[in-house]
């Protein structure tokens, strides 16, 4: 069965304490892997799209990487404003189905 | 601001009723996606339309239906509403189809009493 699993479910860090969020997936025919940030009560905000193993993308304090089985979102020296839920999604298969993980709730303490 | 608009922002209705949610995609985007987000289920993909045609289907109930009009706006119709249909409903749009970045609207919060 196609699945997307994110870990940890929740993460509390001190400001400046770097860490990584994991997104593991089991799908056939990956068309794209997406990272989003979601603030409470708002729509997900696009961060990155990755298409093939070995690909990396960076934006400010965030860096996303992709292997054949998982993706990591690395957060370097986070600030309190980075607190949010981070969602990972894949689009895969002949029917282009889209599967979201349940997210990682990140809280950065000042 | 993603450029995707959704109306209404909030909707309160009763069980058994029917409602229509509306979405206008970003200018130039041909694909529209509908999602349901509840506390226990996370974000669930419902359906995708591309240039007026149904393109992909997810976990959409038979009581729900959608369409995309010639001007590319889309409507999601929810009928015979149940308490469990209470959720945030998001619309997203992308330029074309598979593998494209999706931009999400602010959502419609539906409460079924």
């Amino acid at each position: 069965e196609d699945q997307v699993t994110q870990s940890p479910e929740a993460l509390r860090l001190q400001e400046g304490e770097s860490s990584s969020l994991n997104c593991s997936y089991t799908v056939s025919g990956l068309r794209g892997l997406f990272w989003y940030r979601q603030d409470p009560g708002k729509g997900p905000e696009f961060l990155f799209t990755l298409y093939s193993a070995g690909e990396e993308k960076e934006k400010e304090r965030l860096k996303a990487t992709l292997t054949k089985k998982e993706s990591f979102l690395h957060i370097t020296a986070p600030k309190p404003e980075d607190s949010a839920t981070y969602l990972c999604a894949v689009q895969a298969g002949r029917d282009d189905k889209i599967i979201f993980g349940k997210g990682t709730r990140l809280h950065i303490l000042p | 601001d993603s450029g995707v608009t959704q109306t209404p922002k909030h909707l309160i209705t009763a069980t058994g009723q029917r409602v229509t949610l509306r979405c206008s995609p970003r200018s130039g985007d041909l694909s529209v996606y509908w999602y349901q987000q509840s506390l226990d289920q996370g974000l669930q993909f419902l359906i995708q339309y591309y240039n007026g045609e149904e393109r992909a289907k997810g976990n959409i109930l038979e009581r729900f239906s959608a369409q995309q009009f010639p001007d590319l706006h889309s409507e999601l119709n929810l009928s015979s509403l149940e308490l469990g249909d209470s959720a945030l409903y998001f619309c997203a749009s992308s330029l074309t189809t598979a593998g494209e970045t999706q931009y999400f609207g602010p959502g419609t919060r539906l409460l079924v009493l």
Side-chain angles (χ1 to χ4, degrees), chain A residues 3-61:
Chain A
Q3 265 189 327
V4 175
T5 304
Q6 291 188 246
S7 62
E9 286 187 17
L11 184 61
R12 292 166 68 92
L13 300 171
Q14 289 294 135
E15 184 173 0
E17 182 184 357
S18 301
S19 188
S20 297
L21 313 183
N22 177 263
C23 171
S24 63
Y25 61 92
T26 51
V27 298
S28 301
L30 181 71
R31 302 293 292 268
L33 184 141
F34 309 90
W35 282 99
Y36 291 88
R37 169 197 169 121
Q38 186 175 25
D39 293 304
K42 296 194 174 180
E45 176 190 336
F46 168 73
L47 294 174
F48 302 107
T49 305
L50 302 166
Y51 294 105
S52 56
E55 193 173 357
E56 298 184 354
K57 288 192 177 172
E58 281 188 73
K59 178 181 175 182
E60 295 180 354
R61 296 179 291 282

Side-chain angles (χ1 to χ4, degrees), chain A residues 31-32 34 36 38 40-49 51 87 91 94-102, chain B residues 33 35 37 40-45 48 55-57 88 90 97-107 109:
Chain A
R31 302 293 292 268
F34 309 90
Y36 291 88
Q38 186 175 25
K42 296 194 174 180
E45 176 190 336
F46 168 73
L47 294 174
F48 302 107
T49 305
Y51 294 105
L87 299 169
Q91 189 166 25
R94 289 186 192 175
D95 55 356
D96 289 332
K97 59 179 168 287
I98 300 164
I99 307 169
F100 271 80
K102 296 201 171 183
Chain B
Y33 308 77
Y35 294 86
Q37 187 173 41
D40 56 342
Q41 291 289 326
L43 204 60
Q44 298 286 315
F45 168 62
Q48 177 201 356
R55 180 71 178 82
K57 218 167 185 175
L88 263 171
F90 288 107
T97 181
E100 290 280 346
T101 299
Q102 295 177 36
Y103 295 89
F104 281 75
R109 185 176 294 278

